[in-house]
Amino acid sequence: MTFVLESPAFVTGDVLPQAQVYDGMGQTGANLSPALTWKGAPEGTRSFVVTVYDPDAPTGSGWWHWVVVNIPPQVTALPEGAGSGKGGLPEGALQIRTDFGVPGYGGAAPPPGRVHRYIFTVYALDVPALDVGADASPAMVGFMVHHHQLGAASLTALYGGSAK
């Protein structure tokens, strides 16, 4: 089976719904993390990591909008709002500091101009947990994921410029 990530809110190539847009920085969204489901994880998966990344942010290194580590292997979904303080994160899961400076979901908030890509990814890992705290950087999590990744599935939405 192919490892697949899906959301009832959008499919790859869709404009990100206002519910998933940041409320601030010139945006007026609901700042809710979308519901996500995945299936077909590789054999031997012992935990998952979920990230949202904007490679088009004008920073030289993109922008991390959401990082959740240590999702148990039996979990295959996160409800809408799980990263926004609305509940629904599984026991043991930990949200890491994003480029907004705090843990939790931060929606799309691109500067005026061009369309940005928001890449939602679930990673299957060969370890039960990453040894990081909530103040870890997304780069540190990425380094650890790189060394323990069994597979990944992504979903990309667009927002900004003419894609609003």
Side-chain angles (χ1 to χ4, degrees):
M1 180 186 283
T2 304
F3 193 21
V4 177
L5 176 64
E6 298 174 315
S7 176
F10 58 91
V11 298
T12 288
D14 278 357
V15 173
L16 196 65
Q18 282 300 118
Q20 280 70 60
V21 173
Y22 195 68
D23 186 21
M25 298 177 69
Q27 305 297 325
T28 56
N31 201 45
L32 288 173
S33 59
L36 298 171
T37 61
W38 53 92
K39 59 186 175 187
E43 188 172 326
T45 297
R46 297 181 66 201
S47 68
F48 295 103
V49 168
V50 169
T51 65
V52 180
Y53 177 68
D54 172 4
D56 305 310
T59 65
S61 61
W63 191 274
W64 291 97
H65 286 262
W66 195 25
V67 181
V68 185
V69 301
N70 304 342
I71 300 170
Q74 68 274 15
V75 173
T76 58
L78 295 175
E80 182 179 72
S84 309
K86 307 291 184 196
L89 278 179
E91 186 174 337
L94 177 66
Q95 296 187 98
I96 301 300
R97 176 177 46 91
T98 67
D99 286 335
F100 287 101
V102 295
Y105 178 82
R114 65 186 246 208
V115 174
H116 287 233
R117 294 167 290 161
Y118 295 86
I119 304 170
F120 293 74
T121 305
V122 60
Y123 297 93
L125 305 184
D126 65 0
V127 293
L130 296 179
D131 186 18
V132 295
D135 63 340
S137 71
M140 176 57 79
V141 171
F143 176 81
M144 296 172 92
V145 165
H146 176 76
H147 288 286
H148 293 287
Q149 178 179 333
L150 295 172
S154 294
L155 180 61
T156 302
L158 308 172
Y159 193 79
S162 61
K164 280 190 174 181

